[in-house]
Amino acid sequence: RRDRKALGGPPPPEPAEEGEEEAEKEELEGEAAIPGLYPALRKEEEALRLRLEAIERRCTEMMTDLRSREATLHVRMDGMLGQRFRSEVDAIGTLITTIKTAVENGERLYHELRLAQSDLLIDENSLTYTLYTPPPPPPQQQQASGTGG
């Protein structure tokens, strides 16, 4: 260095970049001052970033799959509800027809009629009227003739 100064030339440039990087590393490492900590942290940070990106991709795929399953499920449920509604309306129509026919023919409905969701049930174990009508009591002629005399 003295030779260059003696010759009047400018001093050689010091590597500023290396000095700044080392100062930054020392500053980041702080009091721990473990050699190689900074590059290891950089590697771990990069690995973590890659893992998080992979998790994000997988979660996005799962959400897309769930959305498509949801749409399919809604279509199936809508079809099932429509079918159930139509079968319940058919059961009500059958009940109305049964009652209407009995009324028009002047018949009694002896058995209990019930709707159980989409089924019309005629409960033959329960009666709304008695099937057997007892004969009328015999005329009381003896009592009427005994009191007249």
Side-chain angles (χ1 to χ4, degrees), residues 89-121:
V89 168
D90 289 344
I92 292 170
T94 305
L95 174 67
I96 290 171
T97 304
T98 303
I99 293 172
K100 184 178 177 182
T101 303
V103 169
E104 287 175 352
N105 293 337
E107 299 172 352
R108 287 188 169 193
L109 294 171
Y110 289 104
H111 303 289
E112 182 180 348
L113 304 175
R114 277 186 282 158
L115 285 174
Q117 294 180 1
S118 61
D119 298 323
L120 171 64
L121 302 175

Side-chain angles (χ1 to χ4, degrees), residues 58-125:
R58 180 66 180 137
C59 288
T60 303
E61 291 170 5
M62 290 176 72
M63 290 302 296
T64 304
D65 181 49
L66 283 174
R67 285 188 184 114
S68 67
R69 287 182 185 198
E70 173 198 17
T72 304
L73 184 62
H74 277 285
V75 169
R76 287 181 58 199
M77 285 175 54
D78 190 41
M80 290 168 59
L81 285 173
Q83 182 182 8
R84 181 174 177 176
F85 176 76
R86 285 188 295 276
S87 64
E88 287 177 0
V89 168
D90 289 344
I92 292 170
T94 305
L95 174 67
I96 290 171
T97 304
T98 303
I99 293 172
K100 184 178 177 182
T101 303
V103 169
E104 287 175 352
N105 293 337
E107 299 172 352
R108 287 188 169 193
L109 294 171
Y110 289 104
H111 303 289
E112 182 180 348
L113 304 175
R114 277 186 282 158
L115 285 174
Q117 294 180 1
S118 61
D119 298 323
L120 171 64
L121 302 175
I122 300 174
D123 187 3
E124 295 183 3
N125 293 327

Side-chain angles (χ1 to χ4, degrees), residues 1-12:
R1 290 185 182 181
R2 286 186 181 182
D3 294 334
R4 288 191 183 190
K5 283 185 181 179
L7 296 173

